[in-house]
Amino acid sequence: MWILLRGGYPLRILLPLRGEWMGRRGLPRSLAPGPPRRRYRKEALPALEVPVLPVTTTEIRQYLRARGIPFQDGHSCLRAPSPFVKALPLKDQNGATASFSLFIDKTTGRFLCMTSLAEGSWEDFQASVEGRGDGAREGVLLSEAPEVEDSEEVRRIWDRAVPLWELPEPEEAQLARVMFGLTRVTDDTLRRFNVRYLRPARSLVFPWLSPGGLGLRGLKLLGAEGQRDGVHYKETTIPRPGVYRNLFGLPLISRRDVEVVLTSRELDSLALNQSTGLPTLALPRGTACLPPALLPYLEQFRRIVLWLGDDLRSWEAAKLFARKLNPKRCSLVRPGDRQPRPLEALNRGLSLSRILRTALPAWHKSIVSFRQLREEVLGELSNVEQAAGIRWNRFPDLNRLLKGHRKGELTVFTGPTGSGKTTFISEYALDLCTQGVNTLWGSFEISNVRLARVMLTQFAVGRLEEQLDKYDEWADRFEDLPLYFMTFHGQQSIRTVIDTMQHAVYVYDICHVVIDNLQFMMGHEPLSTDRIAAQDYIVGAFRKFATDNSCHVTLVIHPRKEDDDKELQTASIFGSAKASQEADNVLILQDRKLVTGPGKRYLQVSKNRFDGDVGVFPLEFNKSSLTFSIPPKSKARLKKVKDDNGLATKKPSSGKKGAVPQNSETCLDQAHQPCQPDPSRPSR
């Protein structure tokens, strides 16, 4: 990824947490690179004084017409002559003799030149056209060249890998085919896709070739591990996943192909191509993300079939990707027992061509009948656990009540000031992010550096300041998470925030947005506007965004000022009742106030639209890891008392029932000793 700042053109609203080096975990030591060499760079400013509004398709067309640049309208991109290659004579608007090798994304304005591989933002394109590109016309600043370290490693691994049919021992080749499910995939198919096998790592090697198949740009290694419940696959990409943009099978696509099948795994593409003879492509990051940078390579196809897997999560990803590709040309293969993923269908002897003929169109009118919905209803009934969403690993009690984290829902989270809302919600979101949920954080109170430090501590489950020698190891693992941060801080307008969220959903396929918190957005509303009405409008905007984009939004709202001896209720949420009415889930972090000081905390689920289960469960804060899910190692309780001089001292409690545990006023500030729940006192 490159960063380019031009005068008057600040170019980054989203700040992805990525680095320059990623450890090659899973590779044998003989193939691993030397010690990491980090190259730090300046990121964008933490906030933009003047919000940068996204460019629209109409504005792009008007600019091209005003400059006399011919263009063609495509499915998701506009095609135009590239200023980065030698100019060819232009005949007319239809481009009879022009070379339309430049693709401009209709949504973001980003461009890609297929000939020179130059890419950049809409502002970069304008600068190049207007002759103020500072060398951008040559495309030097617009495309990131692979690092020398990665290039050498790619070549070293590729040279050591051999085709499966050339293994000296037939037993080893047969074992590899069984482990990867390739018993019915022929050598001709593996040879056509140029698949190799790395013996030291016992991994298949899939190449990332340049357009035309001339150069080797990267690799994906797929390892198989046999476990009790089956075979589990582990992927390693070079370069790192953030810049690995390999549409596996692209060199085999001809310009005359008008139909393609997209899969989420390279093995499925092999099975599909062999069985049907159709052009197939495998997405580089599976069902996690469809990078917009790949859309120009899919412009030539009039029909795209998405067959991404055999579970409900793959079905949801297929519908999301179809919206990005233009749903009018997309069809989806619905998961089912008789419609498994392509490789499994091939091994079971099913007809893959027949399954493709059952693909459903992704686009339909606004009104549908139950006949069009009955298969989706059956899918949810037959996959109850998958329909409930992604379950938390760190909060089993939350799974018991909410059942899981689902797309398209709005969760409202509240709690008293200083009770640890940000600390809890960061671990809540981190748990989902480690399971592959693409997450966008909007922290308007806490700076991104401080929030990232807290989340890294929760991720490592320990204090890294006490073991700095392990920082790079944990930071490398943390960088691999699909986690992004908005660079806003303080008060922001709702329109700017929504535009940024929509951009993130399109570019990074964000599935979970955390907004902390609502009150900070209300400062930019006109002073004459009623404050309650303004909050209702903002809540309605987030509700509409979650539904329209199939994205879960977690919204933190401060409560009204309540008496210390009263617990918070759903009606305690600041503002009118619209927030609780629009929300699918309402979570309240209760801080039970005791007579002698702060009390213990527990989480209350007061609304659950999915199945109606509500309840409470205690939370125990671990100061060393800043987590609520991992109990402290020591169970000795401490309480604060006053000596004769009035100074606060700490001493162990007597351990009797009803002993008052101490709580932390604010977890992020770590001002006091954290609380531990008293098991002898029942929760309400």
Side-chain angles (χ1 to χ4, degrees):
M1 181 175 292
W2 52 269
I3 295 225
L4 182 60
L5 294 177
R6 302 189 186 280
Y9 292 94
L11 296 184
R12 278 281 181 261
I13 292 180
L14 295 177
L15 173 61
L17 195 68
R18 301 172 186 264
E20 297 294 334
W21 178 86
M22 183 186 74
R24 313 299 181 199
R25 295 176 297 277
L27 297 180
R29 292 186 178 181
S30 60
L31 298 175
R37 293 174 296 168
R38 289 188 170 273
R39 294 187 286 113
Y40 294 95
R41 63 191 177 198
K42 273 192 174 182
E43 296 289 359
L45 296 177
L48 300 176
E49 296 180 1
V50 181
V52 179
L53 297 178
V55 65
T56 64
T57 307
T58 302
E59 293 172 344
I60 296 175
R61 291 193 180 103
Q62 290 176 348
Y63 181 85
L64 295 177
R65 291 192 184 103
R67 293 287 173 177
I69 302 175
F71 64 89
Q72 298 173 346
D73 205 337
H75 299 285
S76 56
C77 300
L78 298 176
R79 297 185 62 179
S82 175
F84 308 106
V85 296
K86 185 178 180 180
L88 296 177
L90 302 179
K91 186 175 182 180
D92 52 24
Q93 277 293 106
N94 296 326
T97 60
S99 176
F100 286 77
S101 61
L102 187 77
F103 291 79
I104 304 175
D105 193 298
K106 293 182 180 180
T107 303
T108 64
R110 291 189 62 87
F111 69 88
L112 170 65
C113 175
M114 288 291 196
T115 304
S116 65
L117 299 183
E119 59 180 325
S121 66
W122 174 244
E123 289 81 5
D124 295 324
F125 176 76
Q126 290 177 305
S128 299
V129 171
E130 298 168 12
R132 49 184 176 85
D134 297 332
R137 187 173 295 274
E138 287 75 21
V140 176
L141 298 178
L142 304 180
S143 182
E144 180 182 354
E147 296 186 16
V148 176
E149 177 183 328
D150 284 339
S151 300
E152 294 177 352
E153 185 178 5
V154 165
R155 179 52 58 184
R156 183 169 65 252
I157 294 177
W158 184 248
D159 290 341
R160 294 194 61 178
V162 296
L164 272 176
W165 59 89
E166 293 184 5
L167 289 176
E169 300 178 3
E171 296 80 5
E172 184 180 6
Q174 183 62 24
L175 177 61
R177 286 182 175 274
V178 172
M179 288 292 291
F180 293 101
L182 299 176
T183 52
R184 295 199 175 190
V185 177
T186 64
D187 292 340
D188 290 338
T189 301
L190 297 176
R191 184 182 295 106
R192 187 164 59 254
F193 283 86
N194 209 359
V195 179
R196 296 187 181 184
Y197 181 73
L198 186 62
R199 299 181 65 190
R202 297 182 180 178
S203 303
L204 291 178
V205 182
F206 303 102
W208 177 16
L209 301 175
S210 301
L214 300 178
L216 187 63
R217 304 183 63 183
L219 298 173
K220 175 183 283 189
L221 280 74
L222 181 66
E225 299 178 357
Q227 298 184 5
R228 294 182 178 179
D229 56 344
V231 179
H232 289 253
Y233 298 103
K234 181 179 180 181
E235 295 181 350
T236 303
T237 62
I238 308 172
R240 56 191 174 86
V243 294
Y244 182 80
R245 301 173 182 174
N246 178 25
L247 277 173
F248 179 72
L250 187 62
L252 300 179
I253 302 294
S254 69
R255 294 184 178 181
R256 297 182 179 180
D257 291 328
V258 295
E259 181 179 355
V260 70
V261 183
L262 297 184
T263 68
S264 61
R265 300 193 315 178
E266 290 77 7
L267 297 179
D268 291 330
S269 288
L270 298 177
L272 259 172
N273 183 267
Q274 174 180 304
S275 180
T276 65
L278 292 174
T280 60
L281 296 173
L283 300 178
R285 299 179 62 183
T287 59
C289 180
L290 173 58
L294 301 179
L295 299 184
Y297 298 101
L298 303 173
E299 274 295 298
Q300 72 179 76
F301 302 108
R302 299 175 186 172
R303 182 171 185 259
I304 298 177
V305 181
L306 291 99
W307 190 351
L308 301 185
D310 53 3
D311 57 4
L312 200 59
R313 190 171 182 180
S314 302
W315 174 249
E316 294 294 334
K319 292 190 291 185
L320 180 64
F321 295 168
R323 294 175 59 181
K324 189 179 297 188
L325 292 165
N326 188 345
K328 292 185 178 181
R329 61 167 175 163
C330 293
S331 299
L332 314 179
V333 175
R334 184 187 304 280
D337 182 62
R338 299 295 299 175
Q339 296 182 171
R341 60 185 328 122
L343 182 62
E344 183 180 350
L346 177 65
N347 291 331
R348 288 168 55 178
L350 302 178
S351 173
L352 276 70
S353 299
R354 181 178 300 176
I355 295 177
L356 286 176
R357 287 195 293 269
T358 65
L360 303 175
W363 180 84
H364 53 74
K365 296 181 180 180
S366 300
I367 300 177
V368 296
S369 64
F370 179 72
R371 182 178 181 181
Q372 296 169 280
L373 300 176
R374 62 181 297 165
E375 292 300 326
E376 291 196 37
V377 175
L378 176 61
E380 292 202 1
L381 292 177
S382 57
N383 300 277
V384 177
E385 292 187 1
Q386 295 182 20
I390 298 177
R391 299 170 66 85
W392 287 270
N393 290 329
R394 299 191 178 202
F395 300 101
D397 291 327
L398 200 56
N399 296 326
R400 178 174 53 85
L401 298 175
L402 291 181
K403 304 302 183 292
H405 183 270
R406 294 166 290 275
K407 294 182 179 180
E409 293 190 354
L410 174 65
T411 295
V412 170
F413 179 63
T414 190
T417 301
S419 59
K421 293 189 297 295
T422 302
T423 306
F424 172 80
I425 209 68
S426 65
E427 185 181 11
Y428 163 99
L430 179 64
D431 188 340
L432 299 168
C433 189
T434 56
Q435 300 181 64
V437 177
N438 299 351
T439 304
L440 174 66
W441 248 99
S443 177
F444 301 90
E445 283 190 274
I446 308 298
S447 67
N448 286 332
V449 174
R450 188 178 178 191
L451 176 62
R453 176 183 174 182
V454 171
M455 298 186 74
L456 181 59
T457 302
Q458 295 172 335
F459 182 66
V461 196
R463 298 281 188 178
L464 291 179
E465 56 262 41
E466 300 173 359
Q467 40 187 350
L468 292 178
D469 57 320
K470 296 184 179 180
Y471 174 78
D472 279 344
E473 175 186 351
W474 283 106
D476 286 338
R477 296 174 59 182
F478 194 67
E479 284 176 2
D480 293 342
L481 298 179
L483 179 62
Y484 303 86
F485 298 90
M486 285 187 255
T487 58
F488 300 133
H489 187 68
Q491 299 172 347
Q492 295 293 332
S493 68
I494 179 61
R495 173 173 293 186
T496 303
V497 175
I498 291 293
D499 288 343
T500 304
M501 291 163 55
Q502 289 177 336
H503 175 83
V505 168
Y506 180 80
V507 176
Y508 302 108
D509 293 304
I510 296 298
C511 302
H512 185 203
V513 178
V514 182
I515 300 296
D516 184 15
N517 61 62
L518 175 65
Q519 278 79 356
F520 270 78
M521 299 180 195
M522 302 177 63
H524 274 209
E525 301 301 326
L527 296 178
S528 59
T529 304
D530 179 75
R531 194 168 181 82
I532 302 300
Q535 175 171 322
D536 290 348
Y537 170 77
I538 293 174
V539 171
F542 282 124
R543 168 75 271 178
K544 186 176 186 302
F545 172 85
T547 303
D548 293 346
N549 295 276
S550 187
C551 178
H552 194 114
V553 177
T554 299
L555 183 59
V556 181
I557 305 179
H558 285 306
R560 293 191 182 98
K561 190 66 177 178
E562 301 279 5
D563 295 335
D564 291 343
D565 58 343
K566 293 183 179 180
E567 293 184 347
L568 298 180
Q569 302 176 357
T570 303
S572 302
I573 300 174
F574 184 84
S576 68
K578 185 176 180 65
S580 57
Q581 291 171 352
E582 294 280 7
D584 297 283
N585 314 293
V586 176
L587 307 181
I588 303 176
L589 182 60
Q590 299 283 7
D591 189 358
R592 182 178 299 169
K593 304 296 182 180
L594 302 180
V595 178
T596 57
K600 65 181 181 181
R601 284 160 294 187
Y602 58 93
L603 189 69
Q604 176 181 355
V605 178
S606 61
K607 181 179 180 180
N608 176 8
R609 188 171 282 168
F610 180 71
D611 68 353
D613 284 350
V614 296
V616 299
F617 59 90
L619 294 175
E620 188 172 3
F621 181 67
N622 188 329
K623 186 175 181 180
S624 64
S625 60
L626 303 181
T627 59
F628 285 92
S629 59
I630 302 175
K633 295 181 180 180
S634 175
K635 292 295 182 180
R637 293 190 178 92
L638 299 176
K639 69 177 182 179
K640 186 181 294 185
V641 297
K642 291 185 178 181
D643 59 13
D644 296 337
N645 297 326
L647 300 177
T649 60
K650 295 180 181 179
K651 68 177 183 179
S653 64
S654 60
K656 297 179 181 180
K657 291 185 178 181
V660 180
Q662 189 204 350
N663 189 3
S664 63
E665 276 292 326
T666 304
C667 303
L668 281 172
D669 293 335
Q670 306 165 23
H672 304 289
Q673 178 72 19
C675 74
Q676 300 181 20
D678 188 351
S680 64
R681 298 189 57 163
S683 301
R684 295 185 183 179

